[in-house]
């Protein structure tokens, strides 16, 4: 009884620590996301807390949802909404990751993101579908409380929804990769040199993208390179970096984001961010599936070669598979039949007539 009680207290203490850690991460990432706010100092084109919340639910389960609620409460408390508005926004920010988690579990999502099915599920269920809850609850609350005019509902809703969705698309994969990241063994110098070259190229693209004439399309070759050579471990961080560079360019109003309205800028920005995230995730998943198929084919060929070698050593010939109604004879019976064949019957003499 005492041992069970101590184990229960230990599990409870671990759960409390996880909830507090998640709340702190949610609050800290919210402050970082608000540095690029666009609407009423609380709507941003990239909301990292949603990506952290979805990743935490996938890794630790739904029991840590109070950490999401606590982090959302602390993040929105300093923004000045009324009590009712604060409650509705916190409820929406908490329910959205829980809906994404439920949809992903329903679809059989695997946190390894090593299948094309998993990448599509994260994009369309975890990001696009699940974040409808928070965008609708938040934007509707701001309009109902008079913080926004009715004519600002759809622009605010669009920025809110795409910001939450981008948080899932670019932040969640990075966290899932960090969970199982380890250096390759043995360490190949050429591999590390390629990593450093990719980092340098990403930094150079960031300088160009955040300049006066950003060339956003330069990020796509980096995404394809990272996905082909390093799979999700390379594609996820590069997608996050490329999206961050585009957001900085949009907030500065440079390049393709100059002299356009907020809605037009957000459509352009989020279309680019979604395209880059889709490219990185889908190419990485497709390459991972290809590698797994090649390994399975090689393993099957090895088993087949081993079987042929063993049959050759015993002097038997491979027999085609039979149905369940007529099972294949044993190897000993095949060998006996091949060495003890009955003599053919004598031929009858031809009739002289």
């Amino acid at each position: 009884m005492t041992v069970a009680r101590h184990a229960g207290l230990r599990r409870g203490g671990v759960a409390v620590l996880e909830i507090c850690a998640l709340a702190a991460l949610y609050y800290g990432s919210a402050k970082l996301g608000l540095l690029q706010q666009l609407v009423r100092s609380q709507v941003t084109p990239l909301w990292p807390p949603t990506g952290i919340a979805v990743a935490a639910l996938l890794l630790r389960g739904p029991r840590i949802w109070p950490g999401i609620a606590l982090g959302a409460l602390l993040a929105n408390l300093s923004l000045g909404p009324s009590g009712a508005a604060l409650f509705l926004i916190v409820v929406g920010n908490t329910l959205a990751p829980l809906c994404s988690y439920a949809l992903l579990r329903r679809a059989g999502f695997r946190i390894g993101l090593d299948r094309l099915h998993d990448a599509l599920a994260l994009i369309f269920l975890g990001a696009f579908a699940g974040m409808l809850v928070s965008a609708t609850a938040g934007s509707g609350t701001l309009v109902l409380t008079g913080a926004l005019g009715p004519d600002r509902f759809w622009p605010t809703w669009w920025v809110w929804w795409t910001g939450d969705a981008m948080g899932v698309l670019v932040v969640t994969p990075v966290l899932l990769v960090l969970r199982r990241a380890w250096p390759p063994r043995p360490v190949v110098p050429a591999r590390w040199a390629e990593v450093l070259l990719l980092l340098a190229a990403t930094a150079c693209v960031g300088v160009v993208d955040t300049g006066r004439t950003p060339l956003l399309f330069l990020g796509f070759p980096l995404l394809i390179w990272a996905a082909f050579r390093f799979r999700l471990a390379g594609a996820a961080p590069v997608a996050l970096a490329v999206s961050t560079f585009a957001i900085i360019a949009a907030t500065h109003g440079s390049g393709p984001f100059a002299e356009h309205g907020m809605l037009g800028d957000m459509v352009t920005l989020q279309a680019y961010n979604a395209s880059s995230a889709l490219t990185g995730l889908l190419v990485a998943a497709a390459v991972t599936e290809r590698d797994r198929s090649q390994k399975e084919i090689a393993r099957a060929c090895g088993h087949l070669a081993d079987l042929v070698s063993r049959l050759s050593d015993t002097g038997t010939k491979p027999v085609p598979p039979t149905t369940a109604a007529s099972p294949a004879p044993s190897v000993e019976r095949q060998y006996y039949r091949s060495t003890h064949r009955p003599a053919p019957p004598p031929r009858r003499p031809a009739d002289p007539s």
Side-chain angles (χ1 to χ4, degrees):
M1 186 68 178
T2 305
V3 175
R5 183 180 303 173
H6 280 277
L9 291 175
R10 188 180 301 110
R11 287 194 298 269
V14 171
V16 170
L17 290 177
E18 290 177 346
I19 290 172
C20 294
L22 176 57
L25 289 174
Y26 193 105
Y27 177 76
S29 61
K31 290 301 182 183
L32 290 176
L34 290 174
L35 295 177
Q36 305 295 334
Q37 86 282 357
L38 294 174
V39 181
R40 202 182 172 272
S41 299
Q42 66 185 86
V43 183
T44 174
L46 176 62
W47 189 242
T50 57
I52 294 176
V54 172
L57 290 172
L58 291 173
L59 295 175
R60 307 305 301 171
R63 62 186 177 85
I64 61 171
W65 71 266
I68 303 174
L70 180 59
L73 176 63
L74 296 175
N76 290 278
L77 189 61
S78 60
L79 300 179
S82 62
L86 177 63
F87 174 77
L88 293 176
I89 291 174
V90 169
V91 169
N93 289 347
T94 305
L95 288 179
L98 288 172
C99 290
S100 297
Y101 171 78
L103 291 173
L104 290 174
R105 283 306 181 197
R106 182 92 175 171
F109 178 81
R110 295 196 312 204
I111 59 177
L113 273 174
D114 55 353
R115 301 177 301 174
L116 191 60
H117 170 80
D118 300 327
L120 293 175
L122 182 65
I123 293 166
F124 293 103
L125 298 180
F128 293 163
M131 296 303 114
L132 293 173
V133 177
S134 58
T136 304
S139 302
T141 298
L142 294 179
V143 172
L144 290 176
T145 57
L148 290 176
D151 58 328
R152 299 290 303 278
F153 173 80
W154 286 113
T156 304
W157 184 93
W158 175 265
V159 178
W160 197 309
W161 175 65
T162 52
D164 286 357
M166 289 306 106
V168 177
L169 282 181
V170 302
V171 176
T172 299
V174 174
L175 297 178
L176 295 180
V177 165
L178 290 177
R179 169 186 169 271
R180 52 189 181 88
W182 64 86
R185 296 179 181 274
V187 178
V188 181
R191 193 70 165 175
W192 285 111
E194 188 176 4
V195 171
L196 295 177
L197 183 60
L198 178 61
L199 292 176
T202 305
C204 293
V205 168
V207 173
V208 175
D209 283 351
T210 55
R212 294 185 177 181
T213 56
L215 304 176
L216 298 179
F217 59 86
L218 293 178
F220 285 95
L222 296 180
L223 286 168
I224 297 174
W225 176 15
F228 265 101
R229 296 294 295 162
F230 304 101
R231 312 304 183 262
L232 186 65
V238 172
L240 176 59
V242 167
S243 298
T244 303
F245 299 149
I247 291 171
I248 294 174
T251 54
H252 291 167
S254 59
F257 307 105
E259 298 180 358
H260 295 286
M262 185 191 68
L263 183 58
D265 287 344
M266 288 305 97
V267 170
T268 304
L269 173 63
Q270 304 301 27
Y272 173 79
N273 287 341
S275 300
S276 60
L278 286 171
T279 300
L281 291 178
L282 294 180
V283 172
V287 173
T288 303
E289 279 195 345
R290 183 206 63 182
D291 293 344
R292 184 168 57 249
S293 299
Q294 289 180 347
K295 290 179 181 179
E296 291 176 356
I297 293 173
R299 188 181 304 112
C301 291
H303 289 323
L304 183 60
D306 182 63
L307 176 61
V308 171
S309 176
R310 286 190 284 109
L311 291 177
S312 299
D313 293 341
T314 57
T316 58
K317 296 181 179 180
V319 179
T322 58
T323 61
S326 57
S330 62
V331 175
E332 292 81 0
R333 189 178 302 175
Q334 295 179 35
Y335 181 75
Y336 180 83
R337 288 180 179 177
S338 63
T339 55
H340 296 78
R341 295 181 179 176
R347 295 186 178 181
R348 297 175 57 187
D351 190 357
S353 61

